[in-house]
Amino acid sequence: PSYFRIALHFNIVKFPENAYLDYSGTGWKCSRGFEKVNKTCSKINIPANAHLAEWKPGWECERGYVADENRCI
């Protein structure tokens, strides 16, 4: 767990595996390659001909391929 200070005491922030404390210090976000599912971080399934997106959550198709549901064709 991580801690943050409020007035004269500390609160515990619990977060799941593959997560980190967010910038506010009061919550958490999933690490790159993982997405929030309920109160856990689940690994993102990347289909063939795709890669993790750099500027948005999830994945995107390689150049020359287009997304079709959960695959790149």
Side-chain angles (χ1 to χ4, degrees):
S2 293
Y3 300 86
F4 68 97
R5 186 176 179 173
I6 296 180
L8 298 175
H9 67 278
F10 291 87
N11 286 342
I12 295 174
V13 178
K14 293 182 180 179
F15 49 89
E17 189 174 349
N18 301 308
Y20 60 92
L21 197 61
D22 70 10
Y23 72 94
S24 71
T26 61
W28 56 270
K29 292 187 176 199
C30 293
S31 300
R32 180 166 164 73
F34 295 84
E35 61 187 345
K36 192 172 187 176
V37 178
N38 299 316
K39 294 183 179 182
T40 66
C41 291
S42 180
K43 187 171 182 163
I44 295 172
N45 292 321
I46 302 171
N49 304 309
H51 59 268
L52 277 176
E54 288 188 42
W55 304 108
K56 62 181 182 177
W59 54 269
E60 56 192 15
C61 294
E62 301 287 351
R63 183 175 293 193
Y65 293 89
V66 294
D68 180 34
E69 295 185 19
N70 292 325
R71 62 187 181 149
C72 294
I73 56 172

